[in-house]
Amino acid sequence: MNHLFFLWSAVRSACEALNLNADRDDQRAVEAYLSQSQSVSELEYRERQWMRSH
């Protein structure tokens, strides 16, 4: 029984680590895309476009 718990715990930890890295990569992509805006209206436009595409 301990072996199953250890295996389940290891798989769960690996999945959480992968999800955290994916979230971090998505956040960086959003920031890079939005940082190219030259004005508030362009920032709002880019934000709407990003939300539609994702």
Side-chain angles (χ1 to χ4, degrees):
M1 197 65 159
N2 283 340
H3 296 320
L4 290 176
F5 178 76
F6 175 74
L7 178 62
W8 175 80
S9 179
V11 169
R12 182 175 167 215
S13 294
C15 288
E16 288 175 357
L18 288 173
N19 286 337
L20 182 60
N21 286 338
D23 290 344
R24 199 173 293 141
D25 291 343
D26 286 346
Q27 181 66 31
R28 286 185 187 139
V30 169
E31 290 173 359
Y33 178 71
L34 295 179
S35 69
Q36 298 170 1
S37 302
Q38 300 295 319
S39 66
V40 173
S41 61
E42 185 179 354
L43 176 63
E44 290 171 346
Y45 172 78
R46 284 177 178 263
E47 186 177 13
R48 283 192 304 273
Q49 292 299 102
W50 182 271
M51 295 304 286
R52 284 187 195 136
S53 68
H54 292 85

